[in-house]
Amino acid sequence: MLKEISSKNQNIIKVSDFNVEKSFSTGLEYSCPVHENWNIVHTGMLIPEAHQIYVCPQNCLRGVIMTADEMGAADRISGVEPSDKELYDGSLEEVTIRGVSSIIESLSPKPPCVMVFLPCMHHFVGADIKYIYKKLSDLHPDIDFLQCWMDPIMTKVGLTPEQKERLAMIGAMEDLPKDKNTTCMVGDNLRLPECSDIGRILQDEGMTLTQVHDVEDYDAYKKLGKAQLFITRSTLSVHGLEKTMKKRGRKTLYLPPAVIYDEIDKEIKSLYNAIFQIKDLPKEKILKLSDEKTRAFSLREKVLTENALKKALEQIKNTPISIDYLSHPRPLGLSRLLISHGFNVVKVYLDAVSKEEYGDLKWLKENSPNLSLHSTNHVLSRIKDPSENDPLSLAIGPKAAFFKNTPHYVNIIEADGHWGYEGIRHLADLMVCAMDEEKEIRNTVENKALTLLSIRKPRKTSMRQA
């Protein structure tokens, strides 16, 4: 019993002993002072000209208002603060409607899209959500209202706030006549570079790639809905994308940023399949052509990628490497890739293992049993072990840099927006650069939403609150 209790309270576990069913213990958690990941405020700002309104208590409102102010977008966010009395006297619906309407009337010009975020208390009192949005639409027929939530208490029983927000954002795209030559990347925080495997394949096949990061106004955002093929790299967007586009008869693909060659090839083949289906090629020809195209593309890309990894290893040698889950959606897959190519990966910082990485976990158990998995939010992680400090090590990701206290780190999140073989080569180059230069840690890791500069700056920065 004592041994069982002790193991449940560990914040560092060898991969050979890691059990996905039990994982790290739950309870009181530590909040690591690294906030480079995006939250619902940042993601919502991707819709140009949209205004966010949060209907919630002051303690919740404080965080989202500060987030918007930090990114220079305070003029695009407002808050409604219901009182305790209005919470329990049955008037929450009317307070929500009046508050949101009051804010809209104070804005000039009026926004074409308003994202209304309702919090946990609307669940607690059983508020009539359909009535709220119908009334708002009736009062402001020229505005699109997106139903969003800030209700973390519900994440264990349904969709997360991030999933709900992305569902609403995807639904705001108009159901327009299909353009067979257009593909839309949707639901991703970071822009996909044209040089990525996906970008080059689409270009070679005569397809136009559109992304939310490139549109200048809300009308252009809605017109993204004309695409025939919709692709997302984010697990948070799969539900919303499939639910919305299935009704519209559009083709959808989930292409997560895999790093194991076989998985990359499988996703590339599915992309070719989708393209050729849209082109109405015969089924037999689609299968044959997809195999041939995938084989030719992968053969060329693997040679380039192997050379890039070999070159990086020559520079990095046996330097201890730590990886965190913010840097890449596949931290275990990335560890597997690097270890299989001779790199000295010693630790991975994560708090859970997704089903998509069960195969990578099994491989690591068999081939690198001493690899350590370190929880970032376990309560014991608040106590920094001096032995963790390793200025001569290499960290991939801001949390790994923070815990290892090393100036040699790759400061990226979400694979830096890259994908596939090109994404691996991009990371290899960043690893070499990180070994050649030192970066200050404290001021860097305190910054919120890394790469947020890709979002256009607002006209002004003034906080509105009602």
Side-chain angles (χ1 to χ4, degrees):
M1 178 62 70
L2 290 176
K3 183 178 181 180
E4 181 181 0
I5 293 174
S6 175
S7 64
K8 284 185 177 181
N9 282 282
Q10 289 180 342
N11 64 323
I12 305 175
I13 304 175
K14 282 187 178 181
V15 71
S16 58
D17 299 327
F18 190 81
N19 186 329
V20 293
E21 298 298 329
K22 297 180 180 179
S23 188
F24 300 102
S25 63
T26 58
L28 185 64
E29 293 184 351
Y30 164 65
S31 180
C32 174
V34 175
H35 302 286
E36 293 193 358
N37 52 298
W38 285 37
N39 61 35
I40 55 177
V41 177
H42 304 117
T43 301
M45 294 292 179
L46 285 172
I47 299 184
E49 300 184 290
H51 194 87
Q52 299 181 29
I53 300 179
Y54 291 77
V55 186
C56 56
Q58 191 177 64
N59 62 318
C60 299
L61 187 60
R62 175 179 177 273
V64 295
I65 292 292
M66 288 181 62
T67 295
D69 194 44
E70 287 169 349
M71 63 182 286
D75 66 325
R76 296 183 60 191
I77 190 170
S78 304
V80 177
E81 298 180 32
S83 66
D84 292 346
K85 179 179 181 297
E86 292 161 340
L87 179 61
Y88 60 72
D89 69 0
S91 64
L92 185 58
E93 289 92 346
E94 295 303 326
V95 169
T96 300
I97 296 167
R98 288 200 309 270
V100 171
S101 295
S102 175
I103 290 171
I104 291 173
E105 294 301 327
S106 72
L107 299 174
S108 180
K110 289 184 175 58
C113 173
V114 173
M115 307 175 72
V116 181
F117 289 80
L118 303 181
C120 310
M121 65 182 181
H122 282 74
H123 289 300
F124 289 150
V125 302
D128 191 336
I129 307 303
K130 290 184 178 179
Y131 169 75
I132 291 174
Y133 283 96
K134 183 180 185 306
K135 191 68 174 178
L136 287 172
S137 297
D138 291 343
L139 292 171
H140 310 279
D142 55 338
I143 293 177
D144 290 344
F145 288 94
L146 305 192
Q147 182 174 324
C148 303
W149 289 88
M150 186 173 62
D151 55 348
I153 64 161
M154 302 298 291
T155 57
K156 300 294 184 181
V157 296
L159 300 177
T160 66
E162 292 83 2
Q163 288 176 302
K164 295 173 184 176
E165 178 185 35
R166 292 169 195 236
L167 169 61
M169 292 173 67
I170 293 170
M173 297 177 182
E174 287 186 332
D175 187 3
L176 300 170
K178 303 173 185 176
D179 182 345
K180 288 189 175 183
N181 294 321
T182 299
T183 297
C184 181
M185 295 296 303
V186 64
D188 300 308
N189 288 328
L190 307 187
R191 189 180 186 279
L192 177 76
E194 282 80 2
C195 64
S196 68
D197 298 356
I198 295 174
R200 285 179 288 130
I201 288 173
L202 290 172
Q203 184 178 36
D204 290 344
E205 297 300 326
M207 303 285 286
T208 299
L209 176 62
T210 59
Q211 303 189 63
V212 61
H213 310 81
D214 299 328
V215 298
E216 295 297 328
D217 53 43
Y218 184 61
D219 185 60
Y221 176 82
K222 291 196 294 182
K223 285 183 171 58
L224 292 173
K226 71 179 182 179
Q228 168 67 339
L229 174 61
F230 288 84
I231 302 174
T232 186
R233 293 165 285 159
S234 171
T235 57
L236 298 173
S237 301
V238 175
H239 170 79
L241 182 61
E242 293 180 347
K243 182 176 181 179
T244 302
M245 296 307 165
K246 184 178 181 180
K247 296 178 181 178
R248 301 181 183 181
R250 307 299 168 97
K251 184 74 177 176
T252 63
L253 279 179
Y254 170 47
L255 302 178
V259 288
I260 302 304
Y261 292 172
D262 288 346
E263 188 176 356
I264 296 175
D265 290 349
K266 183 178 179 181
E267 294 185 25
I268 289 174
K269 184 177 180 180
S270 69
L271 176 58
Y272 276 121
N273 265 312
I275 294 172
F276 297 145
Q277 287 175 19
I278 291 172
K279 293 183 177 182
D280 295 324
L281 298 181
K283 184 176 181 180
E284 297 76 13
K285 189 172 182 179
I286 289 176
L287 296 175
K288 183 174 183 295
L289 199 55
S290 296
D291 284 338
E292 292 176 353
K293 292 266 189 177
T294 299
R295 192 178 304 111
F297 183 89
S298 299
L299 182 62
R300 179 176 65 254
E301 294 297 312
K302 284 176 184 175
V303 172
L304 296 173
T305 304
E306 287 292 304
N307 289 338
L309 290 172
K310 181 180 179 181
K311 180 180 178 181
L313 183 60
E314 291 173 353
Q315 298 293 321
I316 297 171
K317 298 183 173 62
N318 199 44
T319 302
I321 299 174
S322 299
I323 300 171
D324 73 46
Y325 72 93
L326 286 187
S327 69
H328 202 286
R330 298 291 182 85
L332 295 184
L334 179 57
S335 302
R336 173 182 174 181
L337 172 77
L338 294 179
I339 290 172
S340 66
H341 283 79
F343 292 88
N344 183 25
V345 180
V346 297
K347 184 163 290 190
V348 181
Y349 293 89
L350 47 69
D351 298 299
V353 176
S354 72
K355 290 183 179 180
E356 294 178 341
E357 291 208 288
Y358 280 5
D360 300 316
L361 178 65
K362 180 180 179 181
W363 187 93
L364 291 169
K365 283 175 176 284
E366 296 172 353
N367 295 274
S368 186
N370 291 324
L371 176 70
S372 294
L373 303 184
H374 188 146
S375 171
T376 68
N377 63 20
H378 191 286
V379 67
L380 292 180
S381 294
R382 79 192 191 283
I383 305 171
K384 294 194 69 173
D385 186 345
S387 64
E388 283 285 293
N389 294 339
D390 192 353
L392 299 181
S393 67
L394 172 63
I396 301 177
K399 287 198 174 184
F402 169 77
F403 282 106
K404 296 302 292 184
N405 194 29
T406 175
H408 299 284
Y409 61 95
V410 179
N411 192 32
I412 62 171
I413 63 169
E414 300 181 26
D416 206 26
H418 291 253
W419 189 92
Y421 291 108
E422 185 277 332
I424 296 174
R425 298 196 294 271
H426 175 70
L427 178 60
D429 289 341
L430 293 179
M431 291 168 62
V432 171
C433 291
M435 287 298 298
D436 291 339
E437 63 182 40
E438 294 187 358
K439 294 190 287 288
E440 190 275 337
I441 297 177
R442 182 179 178 86
N443 293 335
T444 301
V445 301
E446 288 180 350
N447 293 331
K448 275 192 175 183
L450 187 63
T451 74
L452 197 63
L453 292 177
S454 62
I455 294 181
R456 290 163 297 284
K457 291 298 183 182
R459 297 186 302 274
K460 56 184 177 179
T461 56
S462 61
M463 187 181 301
R464 287 192 182 92
Q465 189 170 336

